[in-house]
Amino acid sequence: MGQTASTIYRRYSPCALPIYRLLICGISASGKTSILYRLALPDKEGMLDVIPTIGFNIETFRGDAAELTGWDLGGREKTRPLWRHYFEGSDAIVFVVDSSDRYTIDESRDEFRRLTSEEETRKLPVLLLCNKQDLPNAMTPEEVMEAFGLDAKSMEERPILVHGCSAKTNDGLDESINLLADCLVEAKAFGATKSIQHSLDDSLTRTDESTSTLSHSSLDTSVNVSRQNETLQNFSRIKKSTECPFAKRAKLWGGLVSAEAFSIEAQAASHIPPLIEFCERLAESESLDGFCIEIDDEVAAKGGPEEFGQCVRRMLSELSVNDPAGENVMAAKYIDRPGWRYRFHSTDFFVTTFAPCYSEISSRYGFGSDKAFILLQPESSFLRHKLPPDSAETDWNNPRNIREKTRVAFKNAGRPYYIPETTSYPIVEHIVKPICDDGKNVVRWWTEQ
């Protein structure tokens, strides 16, 4: 008697700590990212100086009973419909509320109800975090419960914990996350998704104790700990070194792959929500130049152009199958003919690829990078940079425009690329280049080998 669920689980499990995936949701400015970094980087005092999340952030941290991976999802109104792409494989939901903002509490309630009524989330445990309890006039957890319409009956129907906290002072955070972890471990140890209603009374009691002692002291916010996208960090060597005149000042987004995503198809699935938002930002006339995808696959990194090309096919095909516009251009019968373009979410892209198999005499050279990449460049970016229409002619001695200057720059660097004799050619043949780019060889990457 008296053993905790985590003790029981450790005794009968071969793993020291079980691993769970948490979806951290809530409307914009509720404090989701600050909470994630407070949990993952407890020694960093500047973690509150964060920017609005675009796509998602991922951090792993340890509770007393489990190792937890938090997926912090962007809370802008246009981003919220993308949350559903992350439901699969999640073990619990952490919904964050700005309890100091009474004007947005109804909006938070509506999003909470939509999120928890989805078929894929109905049985998931929920931790409702009433954040910013350090601020004056913040609603108490009981007031938030009332505003959300949560009562004993509704909380018997599904496991819901309500807890007050402050990302700024750290009060209540560790306690609430550990309580959720204990409940997840207990459910797994006993082989069932058990209701955690029995823990609710303890949670609220401890919330009262913790929120009564919240400090109003401020933290040093001079350090921005919003993590740089690892994909863009890996791609930076190419971005800084290539002869493309737009590259150094290009505004890029990068797809972020979870450590849980092993297959190329699983990686593609993780890129879909941020790529959708990227396209929607373009539609709103935001100045963006490219979406970078790293193919985390040994074959792509170590194989030749043919093997690399098959990895590119799998990645772009999986994205196309899940195209919100329903076009699936990778399945088009005319893919190998002039006029085909890669499109996703009604956005035309020029696709360029880079891999370690290309040497320094190739325009797809990675400048020593051991990673493989796909760069989706929206056609609107070329228009914004005033790139002239395609032409088969080039004045190599006196380049007349930015397109010709780019060709000359690559040639002078010893990395010339083949220029078709006509502007009507199959673009698909130029997405994955052969080792010798002389126009005589084609890597038929779009056909399954």
Side-chain angles (χ1 to χ4, degrees), residues 87-160:
F87 292 162
E88 185 176 356
S90 297
D91 298 297
I93 294 172
V94 178
F95 194 90
V96 182
V97 180
D98 179 355
S99 54
S100 71
D101 190 349
R102 297 173 184 263
Y103 294 102
T104 62
I105 195 67
D106 289 344
E107 183 182 0
S108 289
R109 177 201 61 209
D110 293 343
E111 290 301 331
F112 178 84
R113 289 177 176 174
R114 270 191 284 268
L115 175 64
T116 55
S117 63
E118 295 279 357
E119 183 66 30
E120 300 94 327
T121 63
R122 286 179 182 173
K123 295 183 179 180
L124 293 182
V126 177
L127 171 61
L128 179 58
L129 280 180
C130 307
N131 190 29
K132 305 188 183 182
Q133 290 288 310
D134 56 296
L135 297 180
N137 301 319
M139 300 174 68
T140 66
E142 290 84 355
E143 289 177 310
V144 173
M145 287 177 61
E146 183 178 356
F148 274 48
L150 297 175
D151 52 25
K153 182 179 179 180
S154 64
M155 298 174 76
E156 285 177 357
E157 296 173 353
R158 66 173 303 144
I160 300 177

Side-chain angles (χ1 to χ4, degrees), residues 16 27 36-37 41 49 112 142 145 152 174 185-186 221 230 247 256 313 321 337 358 376 447:
I27 68 173
L36 177 66
Y37 289 143
L41 306 170
D49 184 18
F112 178 84
E142 290 84 355
M145 287 177 61
D174 291 338
V185 170
E186 180 180 351
T221 59
E230 186 176 352
L256 185 61
R313 177 188 59 78
V321 167
R337 301 175 190 171
Y358 297 111
L376 303 178
T447 60

Side-chain angles (χ1 to χ4, degrees), residues 4 24 75-76 83 95 106 128 142 170 196 264 318 333 356 364 367 372-373 441:
T4 64
I24 304 178
R76 295 170 63 247
W83 291 351
F95 194 90
D106 289 344
L128 179 58
E142 290 84 355
N170 200 32
I196 54 177
I264 290 176
E318 187 67 20
K333 294 181 179 180
R364 304 303 174 84
F367 297 92
F373 300 96
N441 301 301

Side-chain angles (χ1 to χ4, degrees), residues 385-399:
H385 289 295
K386 299 180 180 180
L387 191 71
D390 197 6
S391 171
E393 299 180 356
T394 304
D395 188 334
W396 297 101
N397 296 319
N398 297 292

Side-chain angles (χ1 to χ4, degrees), residues 368-431:
S369 172
D370 60 354
K371 309 292 184 181
F373 300 96
I374 299 173
L375 181 62
L376 303 178
Q377 298 171 268
E379 295 287 351
S380 60
S381 171
F382 297 123
L383 293 174
R384 193 177 70 255
H385 289 295
K386 299 180 180 180
L387 191 71
D390 197 6
S391 171
E393 299 180 356
T394 304
D395 188 334
W396 297 101
N397 296 319
N398 297 292
R400 298 161 294 185
N401 53 53
I402 191 65
R403 185 183 293 276
E404 293 188 2
K405 289 178 181 178
T406 301
R407 294 172 178 175
V408 170
F410 273 91
K411 181 181 179 181
N412 291 343
R415 286 183 279 276
Y417 53 88
Y418 173 69
I419 301 170
E421 297 177 354
T422 173
T423 57
S424 180
Y425 59 89
I427 288 180
V428 71
E429 294 182 357
H430 298 268
I431 289 179

